[in-house]
Every structure is written in structure tokens, then in C-alpha cells.
Amino acid sequence: QVQLVESGGGLAQPGGTLRLSCEASGGTISDYTMAWFRQAPGTEREFVAAITYSGGSTYYADSVKGRFSISRDNAKNTVSLQMTRLKFEDTAVYYCAGRGGYTIVVLPLTPTDFHVWGQGTQVTVSS
């Protein structure tokens, strides 16, 4: 079964850039819809970005649209989230998530839509 591990989190300044990586093991994610969610203290886990199994379509929350970019490399079994022009409100634990089986994406996406999760990586935006 597929396992996901996130990396690349850390401390960034407002306006800065971070790149998160999600590495899959135990199986291919080439037939998986993949997504990033985030959760700040005291808040519910919220959708950030998603990408179809082929990489042909991407989806973004309004709060990150134009600043974040999700991508995947099925040959490497990885998914990335490029975060630019970071804001204080981007501070959260970021989770990689997946759902297998060539799933058709139907918005809005919620955590319940995804069955495989990583452990999360902390992103802190501070001056």
C-alpha cells in the first residue's frame, strides 16, 4: 500500500519561497489524484491544491491561487508544491494526500475525499 512522506517545510520570511515535496513508497501513485491540505492551530484542515492523476489539470484554493503551484512527476513517484510570495497566514502544517483509482475530481475537495495521508510538514512564515 502507498505511503506518503512530506519534506521541505521550514521557516520563511513574508514574500519568500518554499518548495514542499511528497514522496510516495509502497506503490505507484500514477493513478492517484493528489492534493495538499494545510491546518493551522485551532482550525480545520483546509484544501490548498490538487492535481489529477495525469497532471493535466490543477485546482487551487482562492487564498493561494497565483502564488502556489502543484506539480507531479509520476516517473519519480513524487508531488511538489511550490509556494511563492508567502504570507503570515500561510503558516500551517501542510499535508500531502492521495486517492487512487483514476478518480474524477469534483469540487469542493475535502479531507474525506482522500484516503492516504502523509505525516505533515511545518511551514512557518515569520519576519
Side-chain angles (χ1 to χ4, degrees):
Q1 62 277 230
V2 170
Q3 293 178 299
L4 304 176
V5 178
E6 303 96 334
S7 63
L11 179 65
Q13 295 183 336
T17 298
L18 282 176
R19 185 178 180 89
L20 305 183
S21 180
C22 174
E23 299 183 359
S25 62
T28 179
I29 57 170
S30 61
D31 64 337
Y32 275 54
T33 299
M34 300 297 295
W36 290 92
F37 287 77
R38 67 187 183 187
Q39 187 167 22
T43 72
E44 295 184 346
R45 192 166 298 187
E46 67 172 348
F47 170 74
V48 176
I51 187 167
T52 56
Y53 61 85
S54 67
S57 297
T58 57
Y59 307 86
Y60 298 94
D62 288 342
S63 58
V64 307
K65 195 171 299 181
R67 299 188 299 117
F68 290 10
S69 179
I70 187 172
S71 62
R72 69 191 300 158
D73 187 339
N74 283 343
K76 295 182 178 180
N77 225 26
T78 61
V79 178
S80 296
L81 184 69
Q82 181 77 8
M83 306 185 295
T84 65
R85 290 178 285 158
L86 285 163
K87 303 176 180 180
F88 292 120
E89 51 263 44
D90 294 322
T91 295
V93 176
Y94 283 71
Y95 297 90
C96 179
R99 182 183 179 96
Y102 300 103
T103 302
I104 297 173
V105 173
V106 178
L107 300 177
L109 294 172
T110 69
T112 304
D113 295 318
F114 297 87
H115 298 161
V116 182
W117 292 83
Q119 82 290 349
T121 185
Q122 176 71 47
V123 171
T124 301
V125 182
S126 176
S127 61

